[in-house]
Amino acid sequence: MKVAALQMVSGVALQANLAQARDLLEQAAQAGAELAVLPEYFCAMGLADADKLALRETMGDGVVQRFLAQAARELGLWVVGGTLPLVCDSEERVHNTTLVFSPAGDCVARYDKIHLFRFDNGTECFDEARVIQAGRESVRFALPARDGNVWRVGLSVCYDLRFPELYRQHARAGADLLLVPSAFTYTTGRAHWEVLLRARAVENLAYVLAPAQGGTHENGRRTWGHSMLVDPWGSVLAQQPEGAGVVLGTLDAAHLRQVRRQLPALEHCVL
């Protein structure tokens, strides 16, 4: 199955970001992808954390959700909407949510980001908990490919990548593909992004598809990019360093079965 990680450099204007996302989704569909995944914060990288509050939507309705459903339906794609802000039980916060849409335009899965980014090196300071409410549950969904194979997909977002326990939950539930839509900072991404992605692939014997924000944004923030597809042996199959673009790759079910047969590590896990 051909898949696409869509890399963006989102700005502050919602409609401009949706236009860029639609263009990338169309490119992915034209290239034969069955699954296209947008990065975290694809719909907006605001000037301030609180900008997310103005864009929040109620589950089941909203500009961004209608955009994702329409794109999936018109392009015949499985579309994973990186993250968008959804209403939570606090007026001062939102959920940072991944939504999955089938080619029929139906929302089939929702994941609220569990682990919230916090980083302060004296120069850069981030604390997502100021405006984001953490999720509590891991989420997976089944994706029937055109060739009849069914891929079991585990959802995660950005900072989740540093918490291997979440991915082991996915692996124990049979996940074949792990999605990691992200907006890693340039500082943390340069140091840790690739090694973490490859580790999650190797330790869980699964493909990892990680679309990212990649470049310098209107708000001055610089993100690392390097959207990539990693196979279950830890090999990077495709990536793009910076700038908007489509990172294409193929998931090979036979290769996945071979790796798991040769190295049945999950069967031997006792913890």
Side-chain angles (χ1 to χ4, degrees):
M1 179 175 71
K2 187 172 287 188
V3 298
L6 308 184
Q7 185 158 289
M8 295 180 64
V9 188
S10 297
V12 300
L14 173 63
Q15 290 303 324
N17 294 326
L18 296 185
Q20 181 184 120
R22 176 68 189 218
D23 179 63
L24 294 172
L25 287 166
E26 290 177 357
Q27 290 181 46
Q30 290 166 5
E34 296 184 50
L35 167 68
V37 188
L38 290 156
E40 185 180 28
Y41 301 135
F42 77 96
C43 55
M45 293 279 283
L47 296 174
D49 288 342
D51 289 352
K52 298 178 183 66
L53 302 180
L55 295 173
R56 61 187 160 190
E57 299 183 355
T58 301
M59 181 63 191
D61 186 47
V63 172
V64 179
Q65 292 172 78
R66 289 193 293 272
F67 164 83
L68 293 168
Q70 181 178 358
R73 186 170 54 251
E74 292 179 350
L75 299 174
L77 276 175
W78 286 85
V79 173
V80 178
T83 64
L84 65 151
L86 291 188
V87 168
C88 67
D89 57 17
S90 168
E91 288 296 319
E92 299 176 351
R93 289 180 172 78
V94 296
H95 282 304
N96 192 23
T97 300
T98 296
L99 296 179
V100 181
F101 289 84
S102 74
D106 299 322
C107 184
V108 299
R110 168 183 174 169
Y111 169 67
D112 298 328
K113 183 178 182 181
I114 294 174
H115 302 98
L116 304 183
F117 182 49
R118 187 175 183 181
F119 177 70
D120 187 348
N121 65 358
T123 302
E124 302 169 280
C125 182
F126 302 93
D127 186 356
E128 288 185 326
R130 292 171 184 157
V131 295
I132 295 175
Q133 181 171 301
R136 296 182 177 179
E137 297 182 1
S138 62
V139 176
R140 290 160 293 280
F141 71 98
L143 192 164
R146 295 169 190 160
D147 64 3
N149 190 68
V150 178
W151 293 87
R152 293 159 294 183
V153 186
L155 298 176
S156 67
V157 175
C158 201
Y159 195 54
D160 284 332
L161 188 57
R162 295 183 182 274
F163 299 85
E165 298 87 354
L166 173 62
Y167 299 88
R168 186 46 53 97
Q169 285 185 35
H170 290 323
R172 284 176 169 165
D176 307 305
L177 170 63
L178 305 170
L179 303 184
V180 197
S182 300
F184 256 62
T185 69
Y186 184 88
T187 301
T188 59
R190 180 174 56 180
H192 303 142
W193 172 246
E194 182 175 326
V195 69
L196 286 170
L197 290 171
R198 296 177 71 185
R200 298 295 87 85
V202 169
E203 67 195 8
N204 296 297
L205 299 176
Y207 282 94
V208 172
L209 184 64
Q213 297 282 349
T216 301
H217 302 261
E218 285 182 77
N219 60 12
R221 179 174 172 179
R222 186 178 181 188
T223 47
W224 176 241
H226 292 78
S227 298
M228 66 177 66
L229 174 64
V230 183
D231 82 356
W233 195 247
S235 300
V236 177
L237 302 182
Q239 71 171 300
Q240 176 162 321
E242 282 192 311
V246 178
V247 178
L248 291 164
T250 301
L251 307 186
D252 185 336
H255 175 62
L256 177 65
R257 289 192 296 269
Q258 180 183 43
V259 170
R260 289 177 170 177
R261 184 172 59 251
Q262 293 175 347
L263 184 66
L266 294 177
E267 297 176 16
H268 299 156
C269 181
V270 296
L271 298 178

